Amino acid sequence: MKILILPGDGIGPEVVAEALKVLRAADRRFGLGLELSEGLLGGAAIDACGKPLPDETLAKARAAEAILLGAVGGPKWDNIERALRPEKGLLAIRAELGLFGNLRPAILYPQLAGASALKAEVVAGLDILIVRELTGGIYFGEPRGIRTLENGERQGFNTDIYSESEIRRIGRVAFEAARKRGRRLCSVDKANVLEVTVLWREVMTELAAEYPDVELSHMYVDNAAMQLVRAPKQFDVVVTGNLFGDILSDAAAMLTGSIGMLPSASLDVNGKGMYEPVHGSAPDIAGQGKANPLATVLSAAMMLRYSFGKAEVADAIERAVGTVLDAGLRTGDIMTPGCRQVDTASMGDALCEALLAG
Ligand code: NAD
């Protein structure tokens, strides 16, 4: 397993260190044959070589079978030229590797039901997967810009655009994912208003004929936003475009209580992927041992499941997370009365122990 590790900035290196501990423990138990290399991305890369995505990192990323990323960015780099900001490195590596399929599970561990902003009975046992198209739609569509009209008024404009092949390839990712789960897929669009999503709906419906074992439904995005907070457990897999997916996946994230628990995957057409926690570099807690490493550990589990087909190892890591939560261990972000607060490294150690015992 050739894996490139990109620790990044802020709490990135701290949480990645714990995920590596867990991967090495999994290697000891299951004999994975890990081949790890490390690279610079984001602020760390700017400091070392003046740009957020060095050529060397990109070459290593192309050579790897999967990438595990911490997080990038921080106040130190907030005032540099826009094109050289740490986040540009992240966008560039996603685009260069063609990582169009973003998988964001929102799983609420029953032990953390009290940490959600919603009532425990609405979210207990929640397990949904949002599949977001990541390299197309209105975030990339041309023409775009801000222009001045003849009357002197300024006008901002963007273009929401999807070709049939782009819709079909993200549709396939979603149908395949649904097949491995509850076999229900909800495609979210705004087909009552936007032609681009009329096509989206048509292509999803055509694809459904190839997946007779998956039940496809459609929902307008405004209703989907409402249903996500009203009765989120009705969903299994949700597939949607870049803009709607950005918003809905953040809403789904909050159902689970802490951003420190949420993993993600971004996949290319061949299943190669970059795996990263949903959270950022959290400069407010960096270097203090307060970061929750579970989102990164769960991202590593997704890597084993989706890029390497090692579902049994991913299951074992996810079970180890359940075991440490059952034991009452909590980092500060998920701490509730009666539990024991631990630091980042102790959480990683406990996970390794649970994994090796399990
Ligand atoms: P953030 O996700 O870094 O932090 C938001 C809040 O959540 C903070 O209070 C932080 O302490 C807390 N938090 C985040 N992760 C945590 C964890 N694992 N454990 C415990 N608490 C955690 O978002 P932000 O503050 O808006 O952004 C900080 C920096 O991160 C910015 O430079 C931003 O551009 C960057 N960022 C990077 C990514 C990425 O690398 N994918 C994503 C989002 C933001």
Side-chain angles (χ1 to χ4, degrees):
M1 293 185 184
K2 286 170 82 174
I3 302 169
L4 174 64
I5 309 294
L6 300 173
D9 311 313
I11 61 168
E14 300 170 48
V15 291
V16 162
E18 301 315 310
L20 283 180
K21 267 187 202 166
V22 173
L23 274 175
R24 290 198 173 101
D27 196 15
R28 278 204 297 284
R29 180 169 159 202
F30 295 96
L32 301 176
L34 294 181
E35 217 180 283
L36 305 176
S37 61
E38 200 167 300
L40 294 169
L41 184 77
I46 295 170
D47 287 352
C49 44
K51 51 185 191 172
L53 174 59
D55 298 343
E56 193 190 338
T57 300
L58 187 56
K60 282 182 179 173
R62 289 194 202 284
E65 291 169 283
I67 300 157
L68 183 67
L69 168 71
V72 300
K76 182 176 176 193
W77 306 280
D78 275 353
N79 295 320
I80 59 176
E81 189 190 328
R82 219 177 160 69
L84 290 177
R85 296 248 181 101
E87 294 76 6
K88 286 284 174 193
L90 195 54
L91 294 179
I93 196 169
R94 284 178 184 155
E96 288 287 342
L97 298 181
L99 305 175
F100 69 93
N102 188 214
L103 272 52
R104 283 178 58 168
I107 297 173
L108 184 73
Y109 281 84
Q111 301 90 331
L112 302 180
S116 171
L118 266 64
K119 289 191 200 109
E121 66 264 26
V122 176
V123 289
L126 180 77
D127 181 356
I128 63 182
L129 176 67
I130 298 200
V131 178
R132 165 189 171 195
E133 202 291 327
L134 200 58
T135 54
I138 197 164
Y139 288 5
F140 293 89
E142 299 281 350
R144 61 192 297 158
I146 300 173
R147 62 190 163 206
T148 304
L149 301 175
E150 276 175 11
N151 66 4
E153 189 186 16
R154 283 178 305 152
Q155 187 179 57
F157 57 100
N158 287 89
T159 305
D160 199 358
I161 185 163
Y162 271 116
S163 59
E164 223 178 320
S165 55
E166 283 177 302
I167 302 170
R168 193 165 289 117
R169 68 178 186 177
I170 191 70
R172 282 194 200 290
V173 169
F175 274 104
E176 294 290 341
R179 250 186 188 165
K180 293 183 189 140
R181 299 171 39 103
R183 295 172 185 267
R184 285 182 301 115
L185 176 63
C186 178
S187 171
V188 170
D189 61 41
K190 188 72 183 169
N192 50 344
V193 179
L194 301 173
E195 285 79 359
V196 58
T197 69
V198 171
L199 181 66
W200 178 281
R201 189 176 280 222
E202 280 175 19
V203 174
M204 288 295 166
T205 305
E206 285 163 22
L207 259 184
E210 292 177 35
Y211 298 87
D213 50 330
V214 176
E215 182 195 318
L216 174 69
S217 60
H218 303 277
M219 197 180 277
Y220 295 139
V221 64
D222 40 350
N223 187 26
M226 186 173 78
Q227 297 300 332
L228 258 185
V229 288
R230 191 188 73 86
K233 284 188 269 183
Q234 70 184 280
F235 296 106
D236 176 22
V237 180
V238 172
V239 64
T240 190
N242 207 342
L243 173 63
F244 298 160
D246 192 2
I247 299 165
L248 292 181
S249 59
D250 267 25
M254 272 328 291
L255 302 177
T256 70
S258 173
I259 200 166
M261 294 296 299
L262 295 169
S264 79
S266 306
L267 305 176
D268 77 359
V269 273
N270 301 312
K272 172 172 169 167
M274 187 158 82
Y275 297 82
E276 54 182 307
V278 166
H279 62 74
S281 60
D284 54 328
I285 57 166
Q288 300 168 39
K290 288 183 181 168
N292 183 348
L294 294 179
T296 313
V297 169
L298 293 169
S299 301
M302 283 187 87
M303 176 172 76
L304 294 169
R305 187 184 303 281
Y306 289 103
S307 283
F308 296 110
K310 295 280 182 196
E312 80 282 10
V313 190
D315 288 345
I317 293 175
E318 287 162 6
R319 269 199 310 277
V321 171
T323 304
V324 298
L325 293 176
D326 277 341
L329 268 56
R330 302 282 188 274
T331 44
D333 57 312
I334 50 172
M335 182 64 189
T336 43
C339 293
R340 183 156 68 88
Q341 191 162 337
V342 296
D343 64 14
T344 310
S346 306
M347 186 59 107
D349 292 341
L351 283 170
C352 292
E353 209 176 292
L355 181 61
L356 291 171

